Amino acid sequence: MDLTTLALIGIVAMIVLVFMGMNLGVAMFLVGFVGYYLATGNIMKSMQLFQTVPFSTASGYTLAVIPLFIVMGEFALQSGMSKGLYDACERWLGKLPGGLCLATIVSCGLFGAICGSSSAAVATMGKLSIPEKRKYNYDIGFSAATVATGGTLSWLIPPSTGFILYGITASVSVGRLFAAGIIPGVLLMLAYMLAAIIVCKRNPSLAARGQSYPLKERLRSLLGLIPIVALFGIVIGGMFSGIFSSSEAAAIGAFISVIYALVRRRLTFKSFIDRMASTLKSTLMIFQLMMGAYVFGYFLTITHLPQNLAASIAAMNVHRLVVIGLMFVLYILIGMFMDTLSAVLITIPIFYPIVINLGFDPVWFGVVIVLVMVLGTITPPIGINLFIAVTLDKELDLMSIYKNVVPYCVALVIVTLIVIFFPQLSVWLPNLIYNA
């Protein structure tokens, strides 16, 4: 059988297995193993994948950054940093049109500076903001859609799990990716806020103005930002300045967050075990996906499908941005029906060689990929953030969230297009920091 045909059959088989309910990591590992055997005809060579891939994945030094940043976020959450953060944003922005929604968006963006998990941001900020919005008769569907959307900022504001996995999979500097995400992340946060203001201006019944606070109380609320700003400054600032690597930064951040939770008397033996169990669960899920993706990547590489696709696209007489546009549309369609993190791990081995062959900056492409991942988390019908948001209040239903998330999706698409057409928004800061 032709190797390209075998690769295409493997991709279809893997997708079918996933939609039949098989775990994605297992599906990629299984299809990759069988495909590798059919491509090489050597069962012993294929069996070596079981021997080498799990160990090399679990023991890889670069992957240590994942559980360490997860630990940092878990214990920062346990320490109560998120409460002081939301209170400060609410006091400064609550009086504006849709002010509590603006406060939610900004607090989610700042929360991303200590937690790279979009799901955690939605759950945490939702529990803080939904009851507050109820006091001012905010539309519950619009409130939940805002929380689901704001949580996506954790994918762009470093440390981001999406950037870490893309960097490891594509062999791109995680530090440069973190720096590249800052400006697009701020731009996306402003776009979300603008969308919320426009919606609330057009339909004031969705969100009333919040309480007005005296200047003294607003200034005092800024004290709640100090722990997050300090932790972000030490971890990300130390990494950008070259004092320590990304793995060392993650370890230092994890240590500081644990100590801070102890000092605040917010850490008990039970909560410590719970946070470590949550970290272990998240880490095992990610590592399982990585193992499957590596085996699947070996299979695709030996069939030369990525290289053949890159050569075919290079031979096409179209502008290279057209190719990126087609990838963007494909990712939107995939994100509607598949977990975005999984979709990226599947497609990077295929698309990355094409992007490099077309002369694009891999750091810029990483930002575009993460923006598309963000869109997948809030795109109906399978947007994970929407499913998390619907659990925040017993009166919520998915249809009301689907309807109210549309303006935010439009804002996200616009920001993604801006980043595509103006690559300097992504590469200027990492080039400045790393003198490249």
Side-chain angles (χ1 to χ4, degrees):
M1 183 187 297
D2 177 70
L3 290 180
T4 301
T5 303
L6 178 62
L8 294 174
I9 292 174
I11 293 172
V12 172
M14 186 268 300
I15 294 173
V16 170
L17 288 174
V18 170
F19 277 98
M20 288 176 62
M22 181 178 286
N23 177 277
L24 176 63
V26 175
M28 287 193 292
F29 203 108
L30 177 62
V31 172
F33 169 77
V34 174
Y36 197 87
Y37 164 67
L38 294 175
T40 61
N42 188 331
I43 187 62
M44 295 307 297
K45 193 172 182 180
S46 302
M47 289 296 293
Q48 288 178 357
L49 295 176
F50 285 99
Q51 179 183 353
T52 58
V53 172
F55 176 78
S56 61
T57 302
S59 63
Y61 174 74
T62 54
L63 283 175
V65 70
I66 295 175
L68 288 172
F69 271 129
I70 294 175
V71 168
M72 186 181 83
E74 289 285 347
F75 285 96
L77 179 61
Q78 180 66 34
S79 69
M81 289 186 189
S82 54
K83 182 66 168 63
L85 168 62
Y86 180 77
D87 287 345
C89 293
E90 190 268 334
R91 279 157 177 73
W92 282 91
L93 299 171
K95 190 59 178 176
L96 299 173
L100 296 183
C101 289
L102 302 183
T104 300
I105 292 169
V106 175
S107 59
C108 283
L110 295 177
F111 185 73
I114 59 170
C115 179
S117 169
S118 176
S119 300
V122 175
T124 302
M125 291 304 164
K127 291 174 183 176
L128 292 172
S129 64
I130 295 293
E132 191 69 19
K133 290 170 185 173
R134 273 198 167 281
K135 294 180 183 178
Y136 295 94
N137 296 317
Y138 272 55
D139 180 84
I140 192 67
F142 181 63
S143 300
T146 301
V147 173
T149 300
T152 64
L153 294 169
S154 294
W155 280 99
L156 280 167
I157 306 295
S160 160
T161 305
F163 280 136
I164 293 171
L165 291 181
Y166 171 82
I168 293 171
T169 306
S171 299
V172 179
S173 166
V174 173
R176 293 180 70 89
L177 288 168
F178 280 178
I182 293 177
I183 293 177
V186 172
L187 181 62
L188 183 59
M189 182 171 66
L190 294 175
Y192 284 159
M193 294 174 70
L194 180 60
I197 291 173
I198 292 174
V199 169
C200 293
K201 285 279 191 180
R202 294 184 61 182
N203 188 359
S205 64
L206 290 176
R209 293 176 183 264
Q211 181 180 346
S212 179
Y213 293 91
L215 179 61
K216 184 177 180 180
E217 186 168 349
R218 282 186 287 162
L219 291 173
R220 189 186 302 117
S221 70
L222 295 178
L223 294 174
L225 299 179
I226 292 177
I228 288 180
V229 173
L231 184 59
F232 181 82
I234 292 171
V235 174
I236 304 300
M239 184 169 57
F240 287 168
S241 63
I243 297 175
F244 34 72
S245 66
S246 57
S247 296
E248 292 167 342
I252 291 171
F255 176 76
I256 292 174
S257 63
V258 172
I259 296 300
Y260 183 72
L262 283 170
V263 171
R264 289 287 308 276
R265 300 178 183 272
R266 299 292 296 270
L267 191 61
T268 64
F269 180 76
K270 183 181 183 303
S271 62
F272 177 83
I273 295 299
D274 289 343
R275 292 301 174 187
M276 294 305 295
S278 178
T279 298
L280 181 62
K281 181 180 178 181
S282 299
T283 302
L284 289 176
M285 180 193 70
I286 293 172
F287 273 40
Q288 182 193 49
L289 288 172
M290 293 294 292
M291 291 176 191
Y294 280 142
V295 173
F296 192 69
Y298 285 138
F299 162 55
L300 291 180
T301 300
I302 203 170
T303 63
H304 303 291
L305 176 65
Q307 298 91 322
N308 292 339
L309 278 175
S312 300
I313 291 175
M316 294 171 60
N317 188 26
V318 295
H319 195 279
R320 62 180 189 163
L321 286 178
V322 174
V323 178
I324 296 296
L326 293 174
M327 289 183 186
F328 179 43
V329 173
L330 180 61
Y331 270 122
I332 291 176
L333 295 175
I334 293 173
M336 291 175 67
F337 301 100
M338 182 181 288
D339 172 65
T340 52
L341 186 60
S342 305
V344 168
L345 287 174
I346 293 170
T347 55
I348 283 178
I350 301 172
F351 290 159
Y352 185 77
I354 297 173
V355 170
I356 299 305
N357 192 56
L358 291 173
F360 286 110
D361 189 305
V363 173
W364 165 84
F365 185 63
V367 175
V368 174
I369 283 288
V370 169
L371 280 167
V372 175
M373 291 168 68
V374 165
L375 184 59
T377 63
I378 58 172
T379 305
I382 312 295
I384 184 63
N385 282 16
L386 307 182
F387 283 92
I388 296 172
V390 80
T391 67
L392 296 173
D393 192 285
K394 60 183 179 181
E395 293 185 13
L396 280 167
D397 63 87
L398 275 173
M399 290 309 299
S400 66
I401 301 178
Y402 285 167
K403 178 182 67 175
N404 285 287
V405 82
V406 172
Y408 295 121
C409 289
V410 172
L412 176 50
V413 169
I414 292 173
V415 170
T416 304
L417 292 175
I418 290 173
V419 170
I420 289 175
F421 285 104
F422 300 96
Q424 282 300 116
L425 289 171
S426 303
V427 300
W428 174 77
L429 190 56
N431 288 344
L432 177 67
I433 292 174
Y434 291 95
N435 298 316

